Amino acid sequence: MRDSEILVTHHKELMELSHNISFIEMPRPRKLAALMELCTRLLGIKRGSVWLFPPERDRISCEWLHDTEQPGRNSCVSPNGAEFNLFRSDHPEYFQAITEERVIAVEDARNDIRTRSFDRDYLSVQNIHSMLDAPIFDGEQLSGVVCLESDVRRDWSVPDISLAVAIADTISLMNTHEAWLRSKRALEYVSRYDSLTGLANIDSLRDRLGHLVRKIKQRGTGSLALLWIDVDRLKTINDGLGPQAGDQVIADIGQRLKEIQLAGKDFLARIGGDEFALVIRNYTLPGFLDEVTRELVPELPKLVKEICNNQDMPVSALQFEVTEDSIQGDFSVIGRVLKQLVAAGAELAIDDFGTGYSSLSRLKSLPFSRIKIDRSFINNLPDDENDCAITLSIIGLARGLGLSVVAEGVESEAHEAWLFEKGCDYLQGYRYSKPLPYSEFISRYFSG
């Protein structure tokens, strides 16, 4: 058969395979297996393999190897699960050739300068005499190699080389298509999901609600509830601990909401910076909102006990600080949580006192043991008469309620002297130290 006829026959079989709907729908490994089987059969050679460049480009890694002596399996995978890699540093002439010449057709692989470095550990062991390699691309970048190996001496013909290049081009097209699919999925993810929490975004929520409403109307039955969950005081966390801490809080809350098990729970989305939405289907049970509220409130006391137990630390070593404005309004849920923490042994302090709107009855109803005077009243002591009067009033209030007092924002000797004179129990501020990383704190105050 003439070379032209062989070439047409080879390409006809390749076209029939690559355009077959069953091939198109195959996962990548099965496509590679089919292509390598076709290639070795048409050329009558021992082995056909596909190799990829990793991002470092210091090696090529075997992705698929078809061996006619072991059909139906990927011979790239060794019995111990190790990968097959060929490193540029061990085979510099081969890497230079595949980069510059692109197609390598070698009749005597054991002695050719481009491939002889493979002889001792591979070619002689596998009884390989000739090699034909063609480049694979991902876009314009060289991304891999199709390697064909013959166990008899072979002068590669034009149809042989043409088929090898066509197989490599087919895999290059697969790479392009797979890259397009990844880009499409990435674009869909960006437009439909929140990158921080992995939850659906508001556009996905709108679509889901629209779908559920249409189903309810079509069936003439069913119901749903939309719960809007707003995280308070996220700005305080961002200002005090940095935006990364705030992001971590949002991510943790998203994960907790994901894990909540509720009858009828259908869809969860992050709406904005500090807001989530939860869709409940078949919302008909009486008292259901109370159930949801109980589930959404973190089981903080239980969690605190578990952590302390795991760290072999008493709960009494902990002191929780609650800002004044967090206990205004209906605080029945947070009140129960705080009381449980104190019952477990922890202490409770009210932070930034004097800046919020809590009433004295609210202060009296919770088991606080300490009041922290906000720094805004300390800054101008002892020169500002109003700040002096307010600070003295807070100290007197604390004494009357049997609470200890902490002054925040102490930065000068004048602050220190006046507060000590007036009977403040504890002072806190830059006069003593700025916030320190844990390791530096231990090194400064606890090392010998």
Side-chain angles (χ1 to χ4, degrees):
M1 188 181 294
R2 292 180 302 175
D3 280 357
S4 59
E5 294 173 337
I6 295 172
L7 192 150
V8 169
T9 300
H10 287 176
H11 282 267
K12 180 182 177 183
E13 290 211 31
L14 175 59
M15 292 289 287
E16 287 176 351
L17 172 66
S18 61
H19 288 73
N20 188 291
I21 188 65
S22 62
F23 176 86
I24 293 171
E25 294 177 350
M26 286 179 184
R28 180 181 176 90
R30 290 184 58 194
K31 287 180 179 177
L32 296 180
L35 289 170
M36 290 302 97
E37 190 280 329
L38 174 71
C39 198
T40 55
R41 176 171 56 81
L42 292 178
L43 299 185
I45 57 176
K46 180 181 180 181
R47 286 184 162 200
S49 55
V50 178
W51 298 73
L52 298 179
F53 282 101
E56 302 84 356
R57 305 189 69 77
D58 62 339
R59 76 197 78 170
I60 51 175
S61 302
C62 186
E63 183 180 12
W64 192 274
L65 192 157
H66 174 78
D67 191 325
T68 55
E69 296 177 358
Q70 297 177 314
R73 66 180 295 268
N74 183 8
S75 297
C76 271
V77 181
S78 63
N80 62 2
E83 291 184 344
F84 288 172
N85 294 295
L86 299 175
F87 288 88
R88 185 185 295 270
S89 57
D90 296 329
H91 311 285
E93 292 86 1
Y94 172 81
F95 276 83
Q96 182 177 354
I98 197 65
T99 301
E100 296 178 357
E101 301 176 29
R102 299 299 170 91
V103 176
I104 302 177
V106 178
E107 181 180 353
D108 183 6
R110 300 181 189 181
N111 294 302
D112 192 288
I113 189 174
R114 296 167 293 180
T115 56
R116 65 189 180 188
S117 59
F118 299 127
D119 183 31
R120 185 179 64 181
D121 296 328
Y122 181 70
L123 298 178
S124 295
V125 175
Q126 297 295 334
N127 192 33
I128 301 300
H129 290 274
S130 300
M131 293 176 61
L132 173 59
D133 289 12
I136 299 170
F137 291 89
D138 191 348
E140 296 181 351
Q141 184 177 34
L142 178 66
S143 65
V145 180
V146 167
C147 181
L148 307 179
E149 301 166 348
S150 174
D151 58 355
V152 297
R153 191 80 167 262
R154 181 167 183 146
D155 183 12
W156 301 102
S157 66
V158 171
D160 297 339
I161 295 173
S162 178
L163 178 62
V165 171
I167 293 286
D169 286 345
T170 300
I171 298 174
S172 298
L173 289 173
M174 286 166 48
N175 291 342
T176 301
H177 180 66
E178 289 166 5
W180 176 77
L181 288 177
R182 288 194 297 271
S183 297
K184 182 181 177 183
R185 287 193 293 268
L187 180 61
E188 181 180 0
Y189 182 87
V190 169
S191 62
R192 308 288 295 177
Y193 293 89
D194 171 55
S195 59
L196 177 61
T197 62
L199 300 177
N201 63 16
I202 193 167
D203 291 330
S204 298
L205 175 66
R206 289 194 188 101
D207 290 347
R208 184 60 181 168
L209 286 174
H211 172 72
L212 292 177
V213 169
R214 285 192 297 273
K215 285 182 66 175
I216 291 172
K217 288 181 177 178
Q218 289 169 1
R219 295 175 179 176
T221 183
S223 60
L224 61 87
L226 177 63
L227 306 182
W228 208 269
I229 303 158
D230 190 357
V231 181
D232 290 335
R233 297 184 59 78
L234 183 63
K235 184 178 184 302
T236 302
I237 296 174
N238 288 333
D239 292 344
L241 300 177
Q244 288 183 336
D247 287 347
Q248 186 60 53
V249 169
I250 290 296
D252 287 348
I253 291 174
Q255 184 60 38
R256 286 173 181 258
L257 291 172
K258 247 194 272 191
E259 293 171 355
I260 287 175
Q261 300 297 319
L262 289 173
K265 180 180 177 183
D266 179 84
F267 198 80
L268 176 64
R270 184 188 179 199
I271 304 307
D274 58 358
E275 295 177 322
F276 297 84
L278 181 62
V279 178
I280 308 294
R281 297 178 65 180
N282 301 320
Y283 170 64
T284 55
L285 299 176
F288 184 75
L289 281 177
D290 291 337
E291 177 192 350
V292 174
T293 302
R294 287 195 300 272
E295 290 289 345
L296 293 181
V297 174
E299 297 182 9
L300 183 59
K302 180 181 177 182
L303 179 62
V304 167
K305 288 181 181 178
E306 289 178 357
I307 293 174
C308 288
N309 184 59
N310 293 337
Q311 299 298 321
D312 196 23
M313 181 182 77
V315 179
S316 58
L318 299 177
Q319 181 179 107
F320 290 89
E321 297 181 1
V322 181
T323 55
E324 188 179 6
D325 57 2
S326 67
I327 57 172
Q328 57 183 308
D330 180 10
F331 76 115
S332 57
V333 175
I334 190 173
R336 290 197 302 271
V337 171
L338 295 177
K339 288 177 180 177
Q340 290 174 33
L341 288 171
V342 172
E347 290 191 9
L348 198 61
I350 184 165
D351 195 19
D352 300 339
F353 190 79
T355 62
Y357 303 95
S358 62
S359 66
L360 294 180
S361 62
R362 181 64 50 79
L363 179 62
K364 183 182 70 172
S365 65
L366 290 172
F368 291 106
S369 58
R370 183 171 296 184
I371 288 179
K372 302 189 74 173
I373 307 173
D374 187 71
R375 67 179 62 248
S376 62
F377 302 116
I378 306 299
N379 288 339
N380 298 315
L381 293 180
D383 301 320
D384 189 293
E385 293 182 0
N386 291 330
D387 286 343
C388 288
I390 292 171
T391 303
L392 285 172
S393 298
I394 296 174
I395 292 174
L397 173 66
R399 290 285 176 267
L401 294 173
L403 309 177
S404 59
V405 186
V406 181
E408 299 178 308
V410 178
E411 298 185 0
S412 68
E413 184 178 351
H415 292 163
E416 180 184 72
W418 190 88
L419 288 164
F420 268 137
E421 179 187 346
K422 302 306 179 185
C424 188
D425 299 298
Y426 301 98
L427 308 184
Q428 172 185 324
Y430 285 4
R431 174 157 174 75
Y432 310 106
S433 176
K434 292 185 177 181
L436 299 174
Y438 176 75
S439 57
E440 188 177 338
F441 176 81
I442 295 297
S443 175
R444 180 179 297 186
Y445 294 106
F446 290 94
S447 63

